[in-house]
Amino acid sequence: MKHLSDTSNFSSSEEQGRKLQVIGHIHTDFPSKFGVPRQSGMIPSSEAYITFVPPFQNTDCFRGIEDYSHLWLIWEFSGNLEKGWSPTVRPPRLGGNQHVGVFATRAPFRPNPLGLSCVRLIKTDVFAKGGPVLYVSGADLMDGTPIFDIKPYLPFTDSHPEASGSFTDTTITHRLTVQCDETLLAPLPPKKRTALLETLALDPRPSYQNDPTRIYGMAFAGFDVHFTVDEKILTVQDILPES
């Protein structure tokens, strides 16, 4: 029996020639990487929708999908392609100064820039003008992110409540108290207000930044959101339409 590390039967040219097809794109309230939730499902009020490109606009591709409550999305870290990959990365929740192996994280700087997210399926519109549309919530993707594949989430095999989460077990409770005047939220639709406040509570800043005088800017749903953070208090300074 050959050792598992023996790759003599594999053609490097064949492996390098493999390509993934983009089947569609997701449309979210996050036009840039700053502020995007660090994991899927963290902002359940954040809604998005997925559109598809030919030949994947065929309605037969979606037959029966409405019977599932959640879906796995396999997608591309399209905002990091030019940076390549690294064998070690520095997770933000470890302060940005501790190195961890790339395969022990969900960092975007990977040998193959593939992301995996679990989202809730809100509704489907397979007969929409322009092709089928899937409406989802809890996505942690930047607006326009290419989608490579969609698979049903199966709770009997995909859920492992007893699983260990390594260093993430100690960071999952990291939350900020958000202070925001109601008048600043007025231009946003009610659903967007909740999603914005939940996003800010997760602290979109890099963990190594801790300057209470610094004003941060985050693009969200067509608005520029300015805020400061002092200790555990995030204060929204302004919410302005994007210029």
Side-chain angles (χ1 to χ4, degrees), residues 33-91:
K33 290 180 288 184
F34 187 85
V36 174
R38 291 184 173 91
Q39 300 296 337
S40 59
M42 299 294 287
I43 312 293
S45 61
S46 179
E47 298 185 358
Y49 64 96
I50 304 170
T51 56
F52 298 86
V53 299
F56 310 106
Q57 294 175 335
N58 187 333
T59 57
D60 286 341
C61 295
F62 305 90
R63 189 181 301 177
I65 199 170
E66 69 278 0
D67 294 330
Y68 296 96
S69 66
H70 291 73
L71 303 172
W72 287 111
L73 306 181
I74 301 172
W75 47 276
E76 181 181 61
F77 281 108
S78 53
N80 296 86
L81 295 179
E82 74 285 353
K83 296 183 179 180
W85 76 284
S86 172
T88 62
V89 297
R90 296 181 293 178

Side-chain angles (χ1 to χ4, degrees), residues 206-218:
S207 294
Y208 53 83
Q209 292 184 0
N210 191 25
D211 181 357
T213 65
R214 177 169 180 172
I215 298 178
Y216 296 88
M218 184 183 81

